Amino acid sequence: MIVGFDYGSSNCAVGTMVEGQNVRMLELEAGRHYLPSTLYAQHNSLVVDFVANQLANTPHAEHYRHSRAGLLNGISAIRRDLDLTSNETGLQIGSAAIEEYIDFPEEGYFVKSPKSFFGAIGLKPQQIAFFEDIASAMIIQIKQRAERQLGQNITHTVIGRPVNFQAIGGEQSNQQAIDILTCAAKRAGFKEVEFLFEPLAAGIDYESRLTQDQKVLVVDIGGGTSDCSFVQMGPNYRARSNREQDFLSHTGKRLGGNDLDIAMAYHNFMPLCGLGSTLKSGLPMPNQLYWQACKINDLHLQTEFYGQSNRRELQAMQRDVNEPDKLARLLKIQQNKLGHQVVRQGELCKIALSSDDEYLAQLSFVESGLTTMITQAQLQDAVSDSLKQICSLAQDAISSAQTQPDVIYLTGGSAQSPLLKAALQQSLGNIPMLNGDNFGSVTAGLTKWASKIFS
């Protein structure tokens, strides 16, 4: 069985071809085709335990248990401490993971958008191994859910990938991320795995509806990355199984919807926690503390923020600030690992302000009754730098292609933003813009490409 697999920064989705021409999106959660890219484990070693159990009686089993022996030796004691029965994994993905994290933020291990970390430079071998385990745990469960629906084994897949997984690191970072995903997919039981740029996948879905040839600039604003692909499309191109000569240019960087959410949280919520205030000495509060709290897609900053030494520093700093009540809120976020919930409120603001003039953000999980009103103007100020960078990516793609596009095809979770469309229009001129399925275009294109190359 052949599928397209969008292992996205925000959501995961799987598609299969029906009757040779229509894409069927498979249900990955109750009533939903899109599963949030999140994982929660009551203890991080339970991720390793889950993968080891899933790999039992496979060619991967012996090597995996040997390589993870140190962690697996302590699993029995961890399971006893957590009162887990033999049937309980202590592991959740998708919406269930988010619910567990909200209920028990300080007790377990929670990761959102793990793909955002796979290309990070400077990862130690044990960190790469753990990201392989996280990806394996998620892909194994998603594949199993898809197979239950289809009633047969899935063996071949095309997985979407950004043009660049990281802003720095280049091809070395990209290869590291591809290796992690390939390892996870093979562990999950895929016999054949190929990768396709996500904006190209979205473009392939758009192309299937074209009646005449066009030069298309695909702008894909995902959760973790923004990618642009300039592609020649249409009836005279879509039958080709090798499209390399049709792709005129690609640009991309690690900047996506998550970064807009982070910017919203930093600029609009962190002043409630002391950002912009002063120490009694008159010096300003260090901005780095607040970036650490919000940068949920930066492994190193999150490790620093939630470390014991940072907690002690914040506690000591309370004596030296002019507004200790505000710093107490930041300390609450640090002690209870609430950064993801803070950024989630930034995301809700972004979504609401796409259509509404203002939004009342609810921060009672930080302090009882704490709210703040956010306006469209504040949204624009918070994300303006990110929008400029996205426009630069589009300009670079057009410059590299050395021709003008006939149309700009927008896809991805943040592509519906009126601010993004206005910024692109101001930057690129009055080129016609079309919105695709903001969440399904990539999956549909991956599925069509998988059917083409594997059938």
Side-chain angles (χ1 to χ4, degrees):
M1 190 71 184
I2 299 167
V3 299
F5 193 158
D6 183 10
Y7 185 80
S9 297
S10 293
N11 294 286
C12 300
V14 177
T16 186
M17 295 300 293
V18 178
E19 299 175 353
Q21 57 183 358
N22 296 317
V23 175
R24 174 192 173 193
M25 299 283 287
L26 301 180
E27 188 176 299
L28 300 182
E29 291 187 327
R32 301 188 187 107
H33 298 137
Y34 304 103
L35 180 142
S37 298
T38 51
L39 176 144
Y40 180 92
Q42 293 183 39
H43 190 283
N44 57 8
S45 292
L46 294 175
V47 178
V48 179
D49 183 44
F50 174 84
V51 175
N53 289 330
Q54 293 297 312
L55 294 181
N57 303 316
T58 74
H60 303 281
E62 184 177 354
H63 176 265
Y64 184 80
R65 284 198 166 272
H66 177 74
S67 66
R68 304 298 192 273
L71 292 169
L72 291 171
N73 287 339
I75 286 294
S76 295
I78 290 169
R79 292 182 66 87
R80 281 196 305 271
D81 289 344
L82 295 170
D83 292 326
L84 292 174
T85 68
S86 59
N87 294 325
E88 292 177 313
T89 64
L91 186 73
Q92 302 284 353
I93 63 172
S95 298
I98 296 172
E99 292 169 4
E100 285 288 307
Y101 166 68
I102 291 173
D103 288 342
F104 309 104
E106 73 285 353
E107 295 180 12
Y109 177 84
F110 178 76
V111 59
K112 177 183 179 183
S113 305
K115 189 175 76 168
S116 299
F117 302 110
F118 294 168
I121 61 171
L123 292 182
K124 299 175 182 177
Q126 60 266 36
Q127 291 175 311
I128 292 175
F130 189 52
F131 283 131
E132 289 175 347
D133 295 338
I134 290 171
S136 298
M138 294 182 69
I139 292 175
I140 286 169
Q141 292 194 59
I142 291 168
K143 183 171 181 281
Q144 289 174 347
R145 295 181 189 191
E147 288 175 334
R148 283 196 293 269
Q149 259 188 91
L150 295 168
Q152 55 185 303
N153 290 335
I154 300 171
T155 55
H156 293 60
T157 189
V158 173
I159 299 176
R161 57 154 290 185
V163 175
N164 289 306
F165 283 86
Q166 291 283 320
I168 55 176
E171 197 50 38
Q172 183 178 353
S173 289
N174 290 335
Q175 192 57 55
Q176 175 180 284
I178 291 296
D179 289 346
I180 289 171
L181 286 169
T182 301
C183 172
K186 293 290 187 178
R187 287 177 182 170
F190 287 108
K191 291 182 172 59
E192 295 290 339
V193 181
E194 295 290 340
F195 292 88
L196 182 67
F197 289 139
E198 290 157 351
L200 298 184
I204 287 169
D205 181 49
Y206 170 65
E207 182 182 45
S208 65
R209 303 189 292 276
L210 286 179
T211 58
Q212 62 183 19
D213 294 344
Q214 287 185 336
K215 291 175 291 186
V216 181
L217 177 64
V218 182
V219 179
D220 179 14
I221 314 300
T225 56
S226 293
D227 294 303
C228 299
S229 287
F230 202 135
V231 193
Q232 295 184 116
M233 296 182 182
N236 290 320
Y237 299 99
R238 61 177 167 237
R240 299 176 180 177
S241 58
N242 186 340
R243 299 294 299 274
E244 186 173 347
Q245 69 272 26
D246 304 332
F247 303 144
L248 304 180
S249 67
H250 308 286
T251 58
K253 70 185 305 182
R254 187 174 178 243
L255 170 73
N258 293 340
D259 296 279
L260 304 183
D261 306 335
I262 289 166
M264 283 295 296
Y266 175 80
H267 288 288
N268 295 299
F269 303 152
M270 289 300 99
L272 300 172
C273 301
L275 176 65
S277 61
T278 59
L279 299 166
K280 290 178 180 177
S281 64
L283 293 173
M285 287 291 292
N287 292 352
Q288 181 71 357
L289 285 172
Y290 300 96
W291 275 121
Q292 288 174 341
C294 295
K295 287 284 277 185
I296 60 172
N297 57 0
D298 189 306
L299 178 65
H300 301 296
L301 289 183
Q302 287 284 280
T303 300
E304 289 174 2
F305 181 69
Y306 289 115
Q308 288 295 326
S309 62
N310 190 46
R311 179 177 300 185
R312 290 191 294 270
E313 182 180 340
L314 289 173
Q315 289 170 334
M317 194 179 288
Q318 277 196 292
R319 297 188 296 268
D320 300 322
V321 297
N322 285 319
E323 297 179 279
D325 291 346
K326 288 185 176 180
L327 189 60
R329 294 168 180 162
L330 185 66
L331 188 58
K332 173 76 175 292
I333 292 169
Q334 197 274 348
Q335 290 174 328
N336 294 285
K337 298 181 180 178
L338 299 176
H340 283 279
Q341 286 180 256
V342 173
V343 175
R344 172 58 177 164
Q345 277 298 313
E347 180 184 16
L348 294 176
C349 282
K350 180 190 70 178
I351 294 169
L353 293 172
S354 293
S355 56
D356 299 335
D357 293 331
E358 56 186 22
Y359 176 80
L360 186 64
Q362 304 288 335
L363 300 167
S364 57
F365 56 88
V366 175
E367 180 181 288
S368 179
L370 183 63
T371 63
T372 184
M373 186 69 73
I374 309 298
T375 66
Q376 280 194 355
Q378 289 172 294
L379 168 64
Q380 186 165 1
D381 288 343
V383 304
S384 60
D385 182 65
S386 296
L387 295 182
K388 288 177 184 176
Q389 293 184 60
I390 293 170
C391 290
S392 292
L393 287 176
Q395 290 172 333
D396 290 345
I398 294 172
S399 297
S400 296
Q402 297 183 332
T403 185
Q404 284 291 108
D406 297 313
V407 66
I408 297 172
Y409 183 69
L410 299 169
T411 187
S414 296
Q416 59 189 313
S417 167
L419 292 177
L420 172 64
K421 293 178 182 177
L424 285 171
Q425 188 173 54
Q426 183 177 1
S427 175
L428 305 179
N430 291 319
I431 303 169
M433 290 187 197
L434 298 174
N435 262 93
D437 179 341
N438 291 321
F439 295 101
S441 293
V442 171
T443 309
L446 293 171
T447 304
K448 291 173 182 177
W449 190 251
S451 179
K452 182 184 290 289
I453 67 172
F454 289 133
S455 296

